[in-house]
């Protein structure tokens, strides 16, 4: 397994490529549900580009040294959104599909919450790793060597506010 280092410019370019792909598919969706933390920036930009409401569901499965140890998936009990409910056709957004466990579990979680009135879900990520057990509907890069992806915002995971002085 190699490492992939992504700059801010490359990161934003990936989001733009994903937006083009989604747009060219001509699939109409009603809302974006992003998985925070990794999908938060992606969801924000797509929400602005497509002018669609953004809903946020916090999830967590990585921790340990440099946040590179996969643990049990934790899913928040509530979705944060500015609409009355989550419903219709949903674009589920994250930064990447690594093992695919998060994507599979969130799709199942949405099915179990019938109060949301979701009619269709499609998933979109920047990176899709070959080791994943789930395939996203939209992705920019397929990574057959399953690299660890170092995203530009990760530097803040090792900093404290006093380090910024």
């Amino acid at each position: 397994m190699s490492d992939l280092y992504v700059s801010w410019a490359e990161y934003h370019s990936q989001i733009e490529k994903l937006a083009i792909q989604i747009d060219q598919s001509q699939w109409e969706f009603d809302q974006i549900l992003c998985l925070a933390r990794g999908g938060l920036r992606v969801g924000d930009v797509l929400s602005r580009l497509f002018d669609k409401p953004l809903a946020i569901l916090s999830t967590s499965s990585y921790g340990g040294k440099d946040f590179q140890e996969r643990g049990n998936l934790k899913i928040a009990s509530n979705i944060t959104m500015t609409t009355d409910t989550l419903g219709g056709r949903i674009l589920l957004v994250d930064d990447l599909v690594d093992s695919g466990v998060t994507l599979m579990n969130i799709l199942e979680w949405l099915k179990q919450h019938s109060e949301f009135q979701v009619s269709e879900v499609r998933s979109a990520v920047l990176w899709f790793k070959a080791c994943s057990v789930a395939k996203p509907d939209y992705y920019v890069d397929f990574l057959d060597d399953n690299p660890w992806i170092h995203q530009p915002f990760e530097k803040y995971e090792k900093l404290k506010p006093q380090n910024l002085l």
Side-chain angles (χ1 to χ4, degrees):
M1 179 172 76
S2 59
D3 283 13
L4 173 63
Y5 291 87
V6 180
S7 69
W8 277 113
E10 292 165 327
Y11 182 79
H12 288 116
S13 176
Q14 291 287 93
I15 297 172
E16 291 169 5
K17 289 175 186 175
L18 184 62
I20 291 167
Q21 187 182 133
I22 294 164
D23 185 61
Q24 289 179 343
S25 78
Q26 297 183 346
W27 181 62
E28 295 289 329
F29 57 94
D30 303 303
Q31 288 178 277
I32 295 172
L33 174 61
C34 73
L35 301 181
R37 291 189 312 187
L40 194 55
R41 290 166 184 85
V42 181
D44 175 58
V45 173
L46 293 179
S47 173
R48 293 168 190 271
L49 287 169
F50 287 99
D51 194 24
K52 297 292 181 181
L54 179 65
I56 303 165
L57 179 61
S58 290
T59 61
S60 176
S61 60
Y62 283 90
K65 185 180 182 315
D66 296 330
F67 294 93
Q68 294 186 6
E69 296 173 22
R70 187 178 306 128
N72 293 328
L73 176 64
K74 297 174 191 160
I75 303 171
S77 56
N78 296 302
I79 295 176
T80 299
M81 59 192 145
T82 57
T83 56
D84 292 334
T85 187
L86 186 71
R89 294 174 308 272
I90 304 300
L91 180 63
L92 178 63
V93 175
D94 206 350
D95 54 349
L96 61 99
V97 174
D98 188 355
S99 67
V101 170
T102 299
L103 177 57
M104 287 177 40
N105 279 289
I106 296 304
L107 291 172
E108 185 58 36
W109 187 88
L110 286 169
K111 288 178 188 173
Q112 293 172 0
H113 286 79
S114 58
E115 72 271 20
F116 293 139
Q117 307 291 323
V118 173
S119 60
E120 183 180 2
V121 179
R122 291 192 188 178
S123 56
V125 299
L126 305 178
W127 299 283
F128 168 34
K129 293 185 181 183
C131 61
S132 175
V133 297
K135 181 180 180 183
D137 297 292
Y138 306 101
Y139 58 92
V140 178
D141 286 330
F142 176 74
L143 304 171
D144 58 0
D145 60 344
N146 304 308
W148 184 263
I149 302 169
H150 298 272
Q151 299 186 50
F153 47 81
E154 288 179 7
K155 76 176 192 175
Y156 298 108
E157 293 172 351
K158 297 177 183 177
L159 287 175
K160 299 293 178 219
Q162 58 271 25
N163 302 126
L164 299 173
L165 296 173

